[in-house]
Amino acid sequence: MFEFLLRMGDNTLVLGHRVSEWCGHSPVLEEDIALANIALDLIGQTRMWLGLAGEVEGQGRDADALAFRRDAWDFRNLLIVERPNRDYGHTLMRQFLFDLWHHERLADLCLSDDDRVAGIAAKCVKEADYHLERSKDLIIRLGDGTPESHARMQDALEAIWPYTGEMFENDALDQAMFEAGISPLPGSQKPRFDAALEDTLAKATLKRPENGFARKGGRKGVHSEDLGHLLASMQFLPRAYPDARW
Amino acid sequence: MVEAAQIWQWLSEVPDPEIPVLSLVDLGVIRAVEVMDGMVRIKVTPTYSGCPATTFINLDIEAKLRSKGIEKLQIEPQIAPPWSTDWIKPEAHEKLREYGIAPPRPGQPYCPRCGAADTELLSQFGSTPCKSHYRCTACLEPFDAFKCL
Ligand SMILES: [Zn+2]
Protein backbone atom coordinates (compact mmCIF):
# COMPACT_ATOMS: atom_id res chain seq x y z
CA MET A 1 0.00 0.00 0.00
CA PHE A 2 2.86 2.40 0.91
CA GLU A 3 4.56 1.68 -2.40
CA PHE A 4 1.29 2.12 -4.31
CA LEU A 5 0.79 5.54 -2.72
CA LEU A 6 4.36 6.54 -3.59
CA ARG A 7 3.65 5.69 -7.21
CA MET A 8 0.71 8.10 -7.18
CA GLY A 9 2.38 10.86 -5.17
CA ASP A 10 5.77 10.74 -6.86
CA ASN A 11 4.17 11.21 -10.28
CA THR A 12 2.48 14.43 -9.26
CA LEU A 13 5.49 15.63 -7.25
CA VAL A 14 8.03 15.20 -10.04
CA LEU A 15 5.75 16.53 -12.77
CA GLY A 16 4.66 19.41 -10.54
CA HIS A 17 8.30 20.37 -10.09
CA ARG A 18 9.06 20.05 -13.80
CA VAL A 19 6.11 22.23 -14.74
CA SER A 20 7.08 24.81 -12.12
CA GLU A 21 10.45 25.21 -13.88
CA TRP A 22 8.58 27.22 -16.52
CA CYS A 23 7.49 29.81 -13.97
CA GLY A 24 8.71 33.17 -15.28
CA HIS A 25 9.92 31.65 -18.58
CA SER A 26 6.73 30.77 -20.48
CA PRO A 27 6.16 32.16 -23.98
CA VAL A 28 3.19 34.31 -22.89
CA LEU A 29 1.81 35.54 -19.57
CA GLU A 30 -1.38 33.44 -19.71
CA GLU A 31 0.66 30.28 -20.21
CA ASP A 32 2.94 31.19 -17.35
CA ILE A 33 -0.04 31.58 -15.03
CA ALA A 34 -1.67 28.41 -16.30
CA LEU A 35 1.45 26.30 -15.80
CA ALA A 36 2.07 27.74 -12.35
CA ASN A 37 -1.50 26.86 -11.37
CA ILE A 38 -1.22 23.35 -12.75
CA ALA A 39 2.04 22.87 -10.87
CA LEU A 40 0.32 24.04 -7.68
CA ASP A 41 -2.53 21.59 -8.19
CA LEU A 42 -0.08 18.74 -8.72
CA ILE A 43 1.95 19.61 -5.64
CA GLY A 44 -1.27 19.91 -3.63
CA GLN A 45 -2.30 16.44 -4.81
CA THR A 46 1.14 15.18 -3.82
CA ARG A 47 0.59 16.37 -0.27
CA MET A 48 -2.49 14.18 0.01
CA TRP A 49 -0.92 11.05 -1.53
CA LEU A 50 2.39 11.30 0.30
CA GLY A 51 0.62 12.38 3.50
CA LEU A 52 -1.39 9.17 3.41
CA ALA A 53 1.72 7.18 2.45
CA GLY A 54 3.47 8.47 5.57
CA GLU A 55 0.47 7.57 7.70
CA VAL A 56 0.28 4.05 6.25
CA GLU A 57 4.01 3.54 6.69
CA GLY A 58 3.78 4.54 10.37
CA GLN A 59 7.43 5.57 10.75
CA GLY A 60 6.64 9.20 11.52
CA ARG A 61 7.50 10.50 8.03
CA ASP A 62 5.17 13.18 6.71
CA ALA A 63 4.69 14.35 3.10
CA ASP A 64 7.64 16.76 3.37
CA ALA A 65 9.97 14.08 4.71
CA LEU A 66 9.01 11.78 1.85
CA ALA A 67 9.40 14.50 -0.77
CA PHE A 68 12.66 15.97 0.43
CA ARG A 69 14.53 13.19 2.20
CA ARG A 70 14.44 10.34 -0.27
CA ASP A 71 16.97 9.63 -3.00
CA ALA A 72 16.29 8.93 -6.67
CA TRP A 73 16.16 5.14 -6.26
CA ASP A 74 13.38 5.51 -3.67
CA PHE A 75 11.15 7.37 -6.13
CA ARG A 76 8.38 5.40 -7.82
CA ASN A 77 7.22 7.83 -10.51
CA LEU A 78 6.76 7.02 -14.19
CA LEU A 79 9.75 7.97 -16.32
CA ILE A 80 7.59 10.28 -18.47
CA VAL A 81 7.23 12.86 -15.68
CA GLU A 82 10.98 13.31 -15.23
CA ARG A 83 11.60 14.01 -18.93
CA PRO A 84 13.18 17.46 -19.28
CA ASN A 85 10.99 20.33 -20.48
CA ARG A 86 12.92 21.00 -23.71
CA ASP A 87 10.75 23.25 -25.91
CA TYR A 88 7.15 24.22 -25.19
CA GLY A 89 5.88 21.54 -27.58
CA HIS A 90 7.61 18.82 -25.58
CA THR A 91 6.29 20.21 -22.32
CA LEU A 92 2.73 20.26 -23.64
CA MET A 93 2.94 16.82 -25.23
CA ARG A 94 4.28 15.31 -22.00
CA GLN A 95 1.47 17.02 -20.10
CA PHE A 96 -1.19 15.82 -22.53
CA LEU A 97 -0.09 12.17 -22.46
CA PHE A 98 0.20 12.29 -18.67
CA ASP A 99 -3.18 14.04 -18.20
CA LEU A 100 -4.90 11.51 -20.44
CA TRP A 101 -3.54 8.63 -18.36
CA HIS A 102 -3.88 10.42 -15.01
CA HIS A 103 -7.51 11.34 -15.53
CA GLU A 104 -8.50 7.73 -16.26
CA ARG A 105 -6.39 6.44 -13.40
CA LEU A 106 -8.04 8.78 -10.90
CA ALA A 107 -11.51 8.02 -12.24
CA ASP A 108 -10.78 4.32 -11.59
CA LEU A 109 -9.46 5.02 -8.09
CA CYS A 110 -12.65 6.89 -7.15
CA LEU A 111 -14.16 3.40 -6.96
CA SER A 112 -11.49 2.05 -4.60
CA ASP A 113 -12.68 -0.01 -1.61
CA ASP A 114 -10.30 2.06 0.50
CA ASP A 115 -12.19 5.24 1.48
CA ARG A 116 -9.02 7.27 1.88
CA VAL A 117 -7.82 6.43 -1.62
CA ALA A 118 -11.28 7.02 -3.09
CA GLY A 119 -11.52 10.37 -1.25
CA ILE A 120 -8.20 11.68 -2.53
CA ALA A 121 -8.96 10.44 -6.06
CA ALA A 122 -12.36 12.16 -6.06
CA LYS A 123 -10.69 15.43 -5.10
CA CYS A 124 -7.90 15.09 -7.70
CA VAL A 125 -10.03 13.93 -10.61
CA LYS A 126 -11.89 17.24 -10.68
CA GLU A 127 -8.60 19.02 -11.25
CA ALA A 128 -7.28 16.41 -13.69
CA ASP A 129 -10.46 17.04 -15.64
CA TYR A 130 -9.64 20.67 -16.44
CA HIS A 131 -5.94 19.91 -16.87
CA LEU A 132 -6.84 17.41 -19.58
CA GLU A 133 -9.33 19.78 -21.20
CA ARG A 134 -6.60 22.40 -21.47
CA SER A 135 -3.81 20.17 -22.74
CA LYS A 136 -6.10 18.49 -25.29
CA ASP A 137 -7.14 21.88 -26.63
CA LEU A 138 -3.52 23.02 -27.00
CA ILE A 139 -2.40 19.80 -28.70
CA ILE A 140 -5.16 20.21 -31.28
CA ARG A 141 -4.42 23.90 -31.83
CA LEU A 142 -0.67 23.41 -32.23
CA GLY A 143 -0.82 20.10 -34.10
CA ASP A 144 -3.33 21.53 -36.54
CA GLY A 145 -1.55 24.89 -36.59
CA THR A 146 1.31 26.15 -38.74
CA PRO A 147 3.74 23.75 -40.51
CA GLU A 148 6.31 24.70 -37.86
CA SER A 149 4.06 23.99 -34.86
CA HIS A 150 2.82 20.78 -36.49
CA ALA A 151 6.37 19.52 -37.05
CA ARG A 152 7.36 20.32 -33.48
CA MET A 153 4.34 18.57 -32.00
CA GLN A 154 4.93 15.46 -34.12
CA ASP A 155 8.57 15.51 -33.07
CA ALA A 156 7.57 15.80 -29.41
CA LEU A 157 5.11 12.92 -29.77
CA GLU A 158 7.80 10.65 -31.29
CA ALA A 159 10.22 11.55 -28.50
CA ILE A 160 7.84 11.00 -25.58
CA TRP A 161 5.86 8.09 -27.00
CA PRO A 162 8.18 5.31 -25.69
CA TYR A 163 7.49 6.55 -22.15
CA THR A 164 3.76 5.77 -22.35
CA GLY A 165 4.24 1.96 -22.32
CA GLU A 166 5.14 1.94 -18.64
CA MET A 167 1.77 3.45 -17.73
CA PHE A 168 -0.09 0.24 -18.51
CA GLU A 169 2.28 -2.30 -17.04
CA ASN A 170 0.79 -4.70 -14.46
CA ASP A 171 3.33 -5.98 -11.96
CA ALA A 172 3.07 -8.00 -8.73
CA LEU A 173 2.27 -4.89 -6.69
CA ASP A 174 -0.54 -3.92 -9.07
CA GLN A 175 -1.89 -7.43 -8.81
CA ALA A 176 -1.86 -7.26 -5.00
CA MET A 177 -3.61 -3.86 -5.03
CA PHE A 178 -6.18 -5.24 -7.43
CA GLU A 179 -6.88 -8.28 -5.25
CA ALA A 180 -7.21 -6.07 -2.16
CA GLY A 181 -9.85 -3.97 -3.94
CA ILE A 182 -7.68 -0.87 -3.70
CA SER A 183 -7.04 -0.29 -7.39
CA PRO A 184 -8.05 -1.70 -10.77
CA LEU A 185 -5.14 -2.96 -12.88
CA PRO A 186 -3.39 -0.12 -14.74
CA GLY A 187 -3.39 -2.24 -17.91
CA SER A 188 -7.19 -2.19 -17.96
CA GLN A 189 -7.04 1.51 -18.81
CA LYS A 190 -5.23 0.95 -22.09
CA PRO A 191 -8.26 0.63 -24.43
CA ARG A 192 -9.81 3.82 -23.02
CA PHE A 193 -6.50 5.66 -23.30
CA ASP A 194 -6.04 4.51 -26.89
CA ALA A 195 -9.54 5.56 -27.93
CA ALA A 196 -9.23 9.03 -26.40
CA LEU A 197 -5.74 9.42 -27.83
CA GLU A 198 -6.82 8.49 -31.33
CA ASP A 199 -9.63 11.02 -31.19
CA THR A 200 -7.36 13.91 -30.15
CA LEU A 201 -4.52 13.00 -32.51
CA ALA A 202 -6.94 12.86 -35.45
CA LYS A 203 -8.19 16.37 -34.65
CA ALA A 204 -4.61 17.55 -34.20
CA THR A 205 -3.58 15.94 -37.55
CA LEU A 206 -0.80 14.11 -35.71
CA LYS A 207 0.29 10.57 -36.44
CA ARG A 208 0.54 7.99 -33.70
CA PRO A 209 4.08 6.51 -33.70
CA GLU A 210 4.40 2.91 -34.92
CA ASN A 211 7.21 2.24 -32.47
CA GLY A 212 6.03 -0.18 -29.80
CA PHE A 213 9.22 0.01 -27.72
CA ALA A 214 8.52 0.96 -24.11
CA ARG A 215 10.97 2.50 -21.66
CA LYS A 216 10.30 1.15 -18.18
CA GLY A 217 11.73 1.14 -14.68
CA GLY A 218 10.52 4.30 -12.98
CA ARG A 219 7.86 2.50 -10.98
CA LYS A 220 10.52 0.21 -9.55
CA GLY A 221 13.00 2.97 -8.75
CA VAL A 222 15.18 2.69 -11.88
CA HIS A 223 15.38 6.25 -13.15
CA SER A 224 17.11 8.37 -15.75
CA GLU A 225 19.88 10.76 -14.80
CA ASP A 226 17.38 13.60 -15.22
CA LEU A 227 15.59 12.72 -11.99
CA GLY A 228 18.84 13.12 -10.04
CA HIS A 229 19.30 16.65 -11.38
CA LEU A 230 15.70 17.53 -10.63
CA LEU A 231 15.94 16.25 -7.04
CA ALA A 232 19.21 18.08 -6.51
CA SER A 233 17.51 21.40 -7.13
CA MET A 234 14.22 20.49 -5.47
CA GLN A 235 15.75 19.04 -2.31
CA PHE A 236 18.71 21.37 -1.88
CA LEU A 237 17.23 23.81 0.59
CA PRO A 238 15.59 21.44 3.10
CA ARG A 239 18.66 19.19 3.00
CA ALA A 240 21.18 22.01 3.44
CA TYR A 241 19.11 23.64 6.20
CA PRO A 242 17.23 20.77 7.81
CA ASP A 243 15.35 22.92 10.30
CA ALA A 244 14.37 25.64 7.82
CA ARG A 245 10.76 26.82 8.27
CA TRP A 246 8.76 29.13 6.07
CA MET B 1 -20.30 27.38 27.45
CA VAL B 2 -20.01 28.32 23.81
CA GLU B 3 -22.39 26.80 21.31
CA ALA B 4 -21.80 25.67 17.75
CA ALA B 5 -24.18 28.33 16.41
CA GLN B 6 -22.02 31.01 17.99
CA ILE B 7 -18.90 29.54 16.38
CA TRP B 8 -20.63 29.54 12.97
CA GLN B 9 -21.53 33.19 13.55
CA TRP B 10 -17.90 34.10 14.30
CA LEU B 11 -16.63 32.14 11.31
CA SER B 12 -19.05 34.02 9.06
CA GLU B 13 -17.04 37.13 10.00
CA VAL B 14 -13.74 35.63 8.79
CA PRO B 15 -13.01 36.77 5.22
CA ASP B 16 -11.49 34.49 2.60
CA PRO B 17 -7.81 35.53 2.25
CA GLU B 18 -8.01 35.91 -1.53
CA ILE B 19 -11.60 37.03 -2.08
CA PRO B 20 -12.27 39.12 1.04
CA VAL B 21 -15.90 39.92 0.12
CA LEU B 22 -16.71 36.30 0.89
CA SER B 23 -16.55 34.78 4.35
CA LEU B 24 -15.28 31.27 4.92
CA VAL B 25 -18.88 30.24 5.57
CA ASP B 26 -20.03 31.84 2.27
CA LEU B 27 -17.33 29.89 0.48
CA GLY B 28 -18.60 26.60 1.90
CA VAL B 29 -15.24 25.40 3.20
CA ILE B 30 -16.40 24.98 6.82
CA ARG B 31 -17.88 21.48 6.78
CA ALA B 32 -18.61 20.91 10.46
CA VAL B 33 -18.42 22.57 13.84
CA GLU B 34 -18.62 20.44 16.96
CA VAL B 35 -18.40 21.50 20.55
CA MET B 36 -17.76 18.75 23.07
CA ASP B 37 -16.54 19.08 26.67
CA GLY B 38 -15.26 22.57 25.94
CA MET B 39 -13.29 21.40 22.90
CA VAL B 40 -14.15 23.06 19.58
CA ARG B 41 -13.56 20.86 16.57
CA ILE B 42 -13.78 22.36 13.08
CA LYS B 43 -13.59 20.48 9.81
CA VAL B 44 -12.27 22.49 6.88
CA THR B 45 -12.14 21.34 3.27
CA PRO B 46 -9.62 22.73 0.77
CA THR B 47 -11.00 24.39 -2.37
CA TYR B 48 -8.26 23.41 -4.85
CA SER B 49 -5.53 20.97 -3.79
CA GLY B 50 -2.86 23.47 -4.66
CA CYS B 51 -4.59 26.54 -3.27
CA PRO B 52 -1.94 28.46 -1.28
CA ALA B 53 -4.70 30.09 0.78
CA THR B 54 -5.50 26.84 2.62
CA THR B 55 -2.83 27.39 5.27
CA PHE B 56 -3.93 30.99 5.78
CA ILE B 57 -7.55 29.93 6.15
CA ASN B 58 -6.60 27.71 9.10
CA LEU B 59 -4.52 30.49 10.66
CA ASP B 60 -7.37 32.98 10.27
CA ILE B 61 -9.86 30.59 11.88
CA GLU B 62 -7.53 30.07 14.78
CA ALA B 63 -6.84 33.79 15.22
CA LYS B 64 -10.56 34.62 15.20
CA LEU B 65 -11.57 31.97 17.71
CA ARG B 66 -8.64 32.66 20.03
CA SER B 67 -9.66 36.32 20.06
CA LYS B 68 -13.10 35.18 21.23
CA GLY B 69 -11.55 33.27 24.10
CA ILE B 70 -11.67 29.76 22.67
CA GLU B 71 -8.79 27.81 24.17
CA LYS B 72 -9.29 24.20 23.20
CA LEU B 73 -9.42 24.15 19.42
CA GLN B 74 -8.81 21.51 16.81
CA ILE B 75 -8.88 22.25 13.07
CA GLU B 76 -8.99 19.14 10.89
CA PRO B 77 -8.80 18.89 7.12
CA GLN B 78 -11.61 17.00 5.42
CA ILE B 79 -10.95 15.88 1.86
CA ALA B 80 -14.05 13.83 1.08
CA PRO B 81 -16.49 14.69 -0.33
CA PRO B 82 -14.50 17.13 -2.47
CA TRP B 83 -15.38 20.82 -2.35
CA SER B 84 -17.69 22.02 -5.08
CA THR B 85 -18.59 25.51 -6.25
CA ASP B 86 -22.19 24.43 -5.58
CA TRP B 87 -21.35 24.89 -1.90
CA ILE B 88 -20.86 28.63 -2.32
CA LYS B 89 -23.91 30.17 -0.67
CA PRO B 90 -26.46 31.67 -3.10
CA GLU B 91 -26.34 35.07 -1.36
CA ALA B 92 -22.57 35.08 -1.92
CA HIS B 93 -23.09 35.10 -5.71
CA GLU B 94 -24.39 38.66 -5.51
CA LYS B 95 -21.39 39.72 -3.39
CA LEU B 96 -19.03 38.25 -6.00
CA ARG B 97 -20.75 40.07 -8.84
CA GLU B 98 -20.53 43.40 -7.02
CA TYR B 99 -16.84 42.73 -6.44
CA GLY B 100 -16.36 42.24 -10.20
CA ILE B 101 -16.06 38.46 -10.27
CA ALA B 102 -18.58 36.42 -12.26
CA PRO B 103 -20.07 33.77 -9.94
CA PRO B 104 -19.78 30.13 -11.02
CA ARG B 105 -22.37 28.85 -13.46
CA PRO B 106 -22.26 25.98 -15.93
CA GLY B 107 -21.39 27.24 -19.40
CA GLN B 108 -20.30 30.78 -20.23
CA PRO B 109 -20.29 33.26 -17.33
CA TYR B 110 -22.23 36.51 -17.61
CA CYS B 111 -20.37 39.79 -17.50
CA PRO B 112 -20.37 41.02 -13.87
CA ARG B 113 -20.32 44.65 -15.07
CA CYS B 114 -23.03 44.91 -17.70
CA GLY B 115 -24.73 41.53 -17.35
CA ALA B 116 -24.21 40.55 -20.99
CA ALA B 117 -24.12 36.86 -21.87
CA ASP B 118 -21.67 37.44 -24.75
CA THR B 119 -18.35 36.64 -23.12
CA GLU B 120 -15.22 34.91 -24.36
CA LEU B 121 -12.59 32.89 -22.53
CA LEU B 122 -9.15 34.53 -22.56
CA SER B 123 -7.34 32.12 -20.30
CA GLN B 124 -8.45 29.08 -18.36
CA PHE B 125 -6.45 30.29 -15.38
CA GLY B 126 -6.91 33.73 -13.84
CA SER B 127 -5.32 35.54 -10.92
CA THR B 128 -5.96 32.64 -8.51
CA PRO B 129 -6.46 28.88 -9.08
CA CYS B 130 -10.22 29.23 -8.64
CA LYS B 131 -10.77 31.72 -11.44
CA SER B 132 -10.61 31.89 -15.24
CA HIS B 133 -10.04 35.03 -17.22
CA TYR B 134 -12.80 36.24 -19.58
CA ARG B 135 -13.66 39.26 -21.69
CA CYS B 136 -17.10 40.69 -22.22
CA THR B 137 -17.74 41.18 -25.94
CA ALA B 138 -20.54 43.69 -25.20
CA CYS B 139 -18.74 46.19 -22.91
CA LEU B 140 -15.22 44.91 -23.77
CA GLU B 141 -14.12 44.77 -20.14
CA PRO B 142 -11.96 41.83 -19.05
CA PHE B 143 -13.04 40.07 -15.87
CA ASP B 144 -12.39 37.07 -13.64
CA ALA B 145 -14.95 34.29 -13.45
CA PHE B 146 -15.22 31.63 -10.77
CA LYS B 147 -14.45 28.22 -12.28
CA CYS B 148 -17.11 25.56 -11.83
CA LEU B 149 -15.71 22.67 -9.87
ZN1 LIG C 1 -19.89 43.61 -20.04
Side-chain angles (χ1 to χ4, degrees):
Chain A
M1 176 83 173
F2 174 66
E3 194 100 344
F4 163 77
L5 294 166
L6 289 186
R7 285 180 174 182
M8 293 307 296
D10 287 346
N11 277 333
T12 48
L13 174 61
V14 173
L15 186 60
H17 186 87
R18 270 285 182 248
V19 173
S20 79
E21 290 171 358
W22 275 106
C23 192
H25 300 279
S26 299
V28 290
L29 183 62
E30 285 78 5
E31 282 303 300
D32 208 283
I33 294 172
L35 287 188
N37 274 300
I38 290 168
L40 274 173
D41 281 344
L42 293 171
I43 300 296
Q45 296 178 6
T46 304
R47 268 169 104 150
M48 293 189 272
W49 290 122
L50 294 188
L52 180 56
E55 246 176 80
V56 167
E57 187 195 31
Q59 308 278 329
R61 293 202 279 181
D62 61 6
D64 277 354
L66 289 170
F68 295 126
R69 310 250 172 118
R70 278 182 304 146
D71 292 315
W73 51 83
D74 295 325
F75 276 73
R76 295 291 178 263
N77 57 278
L78 295 164
L79 296 175
I80 189 174
V81 297
E82 66 198 53
R83 298 307 301 143
N85 288 337
R86 299 185 58 185
D87 66 10
Y88 211 65
H90 276 77
T91 295
L92 291 176
M93 185 56 76
R94 181 188 62 201
Q95 192 68 35
F96 166 66
L97 293 169
F98 176 81
D99 288 343
L100 199 56
W101 169 81
H102 194 216
H103 186 267
E104 288 295 333
R105 186 87 188 110
L106 292 170
D108 272 0
L109 291 179
C110 287
L111 307 169
S112 174
D113 286 349
D114 187 301
D115 289 345
R116 298 165 302 178
V117 170
I120 296 175
K123 177 81 195 153
C124 299
V125 76
K126 288 181 150 200
E127 293 161 358
D129 199 45
Y130 63 74
H131 294 170
L132 177 59
E133 194 187 317
R134 178 192 130 80
S135 52
K136 213 192 283 184
D137 179 56
L138 285 169
I139 295 301
I140 295 171
R141 277 207 255 173
L142 291 169
D144 189 21
T146 64
E148 169 79 11
S149 74
H150 175 86
R152 283 187 182 226
M153 294 317 281
Q154 186 65 45
D155 180 44
L157 179 59
E158 305 282 347
I160 303 170
W161 182 250
Y163 294 92
T164 56
E166 192 185 18
M167 295 170 162
F168 308 103
E169 188 187 32
N170 298 325
D171 64 11
L173 174 64
D174 296 309
Q175 192 62 36
M177 289 297 107
F178 173 65
E179 278 158 23
I182 291 171
S183 164
L185 290 170
S188 65
Q189 272 179 249
K190 181 86 167 109
R192 283 174 282 156
F193 178 90
D194 283 342
L197 178 71
E198 202 171 315
D199 179 60
T200 302
L201 290 187
K203 288 181 185 143
T205 70
L206 294 172
K207 207 169 144 289
R208 179 186 164 136
E210 305 278 340
N211 189 353
F213 173 70
R215 287 195 185 274
K216 294 179 185 176
R219 302 194 325 141
K220 293 186 168 64
V222 183
H223 294 278
S224 62
E225 195 185 338
D226 301 300
L227 182 67
H229 293 296
L230 181 148
L231 294 183
S233 83
M234 185 180 87
Q235 297 180 332
F236 166 75
L237 194 120
R239 289 216 190 200
Y241 305 95
D243 299 317
R245 285 275 170 276
W246 289 111
Chain B
M1 213 185 72
V2 67
E3 289 190 17
Q6 177 64 68
I7 304 279
W8 278 104
Q9 173 58 37
W10 287 332
L11 293 177
S12 73
E13 295 163 9
V14 181
D16 174 73
E18 279 177 350
I19 310 171
V21 286
L22 297 189
S23 76
L24 298 181
V25 175
D26 285 334
L27 195 61
V29 295
I30 310 291
R31 302 315 299 160
V33 174
E34 283 168 27
V35 184
M36 248 210 308
D37 306 325
M39 163 71 90
V40 177
R41 215 176 253 125
I42 298 174
K43 293 206 168 135
V44 185
T45 194
T47 50
Y48 292 79
S49 315
C51 187
T54 311
T55 320
F56 292 99
I57 287 178
N58 289 353
L59 284 175
D60 291 347
I61 293 174
E62 181 164 1
K64 180 73 176 187
L65 297 184
R66 296 273 182 238
S67 79
K68 298 291 179 187
I70 302 293
E71 279 168 10
K72 289 205 268 175
L73 174 65
Q74 213 173 2
I75 300 174
E76 292 168 14
Q78 183 180 317
I79 295 168
W83 181 77
S84 156
T85 35
D86 294 345
W87 294 354
I88 297 178
K89 302 266 177 293
E91 56 272 27
H93 282 218
E94 195 46 47
K95 291 193 212 169
L96 278 171
R97 231 185 319 266
E98 275 171 32
Y99 192 58
I101 299 172
R105 70 182 293 273
Q108 294 280 107
Y110 297 148
C111 172
R113 258 175 73 91
C114 74
D118 315 328
T119 56
E120 59 176 356
L121 178 68
L122 293 182
S123 174
Q124 204 188 5
F125 292 89
S127 53
T128 61
C130 57
K131 287 173 273 166
S132 300
H133 208 57
Y134 276 83
R135 175 168 47 212
C136 173
T137 44
C139 74
L140 303 181
E141 282 295 318
F143 64 91
D144 268 347
F146 227 105
K147 275 198 288 227
C148 254
L149 190 72

